[in-house]
Amino acid sequence: MASFDKLFSDLVAQEVNAQLAPILSQLQQQSEVIARLGSAFGAPVRRGPGRPPKALGAVKVSAPKAAKAVKVRSSGGQRGCAVIGCPRPARAKGYCAAHYQKYRNLEKTGRLPSDWTPDAAPQSANDVVLPRGRAGAKALAEAKKGKKK
Ligand SMILES: [Zn+2]
């Protein structure tokens, strides 16, 4: 019985293959024709010197101009940070981003040194090393007391 089943299924498979073969080959031919047509249509319109047509399309679609403009603006003539020994360019009031934050902190807590002036000349202010931890809290408290008096 098992051998008969196998024979039968083989027969069915053969029959199906025989009927499907011409359809499959037709499909393949059609897809080849479509591919050829597509390349024939695509080639004369998009092909330029040196670049494949796909790359050209991609370049046209994605071009963020705003970011580039910002980059150009920020890379203009810049002066250095006002703090002596700081290699970064000035960002605000003559200080780099990090030292401007420090400037704001010192100003807010009433500990701004005399050489930390707004729009200070580059490399003109001595860096301030603030105490950290418990010593820092103590220094802050004393600065507040001095401010109130
Ligand atoms: Zn700096």
Side-chain angles (χ1 to χ4, degrees):
M1 287 296 275
S3 63
F4 175 78
D5 275 344
K6 212 206 166 205
L7 249 177
F8 182 74
S9 66
D10 279 358
L11 266 176
V12 168
Q14 270 180 19
E15 191 74 15
V16 167
N17 276 338
Q19 286 199 352
L20 275 180
I23 299 170
L24 282 174
S25 68
Q26 239 185 3
L27 273 175
Q28 265 186 350
Q29 276 178 359
Q30 277 180 355
S31 64
E32 274 174 26
V33 166
I34 288 169
R36 268 186 223 159
L37 272 177
S39 67
F41 274 121
V45 177
R46 291 258 170 126
R47 187 171 291 170
R51 271 189 180 168
K54 267 186 185 177
L56 260 179
V59 167
K60 270 186 186 175
V61 170
S62 64
K65 285 181 181 176
K68 277 185 185 175
V70 170
K71 260 189 187 176
V72 169
R73 214 185 289 162
S74 68
S75 72
Q78 280 187 342
R79 60 179 192 173
C81 178
V83 174
I84 294 166
C86 180
R88 289 177 291 263
R91 188 93 177 272
K93 290 195 177 183
Y95 298 86
C96 73
H99 282 124
Y100 181 60
Q101 289 303 310
K102 199 165 191 178
Y103 172 90
R104 299 234 311 169
N105 178 28
L106 289 170
E107 189 183 38
K108 189 179 154 194
T109 54
R111 298 180 290 177
L112 200 61
S114 57
D115 50 354
W116 281 58
T117 54
D119 292 314
Q123 307 288 312
S124 68
N126 278 303
D127 200 0
V128 178
V129 179
L130 293 170
R132 297 192 172 271
R134 199 169 282 185
K138 207 175 172 184
L140 255 181
E142 274 172 21
K144 265 191 185 174
K145 267 185 196 171
K147 214 179 176 183
K148 275 178 188 173
K149 281 174 189 174

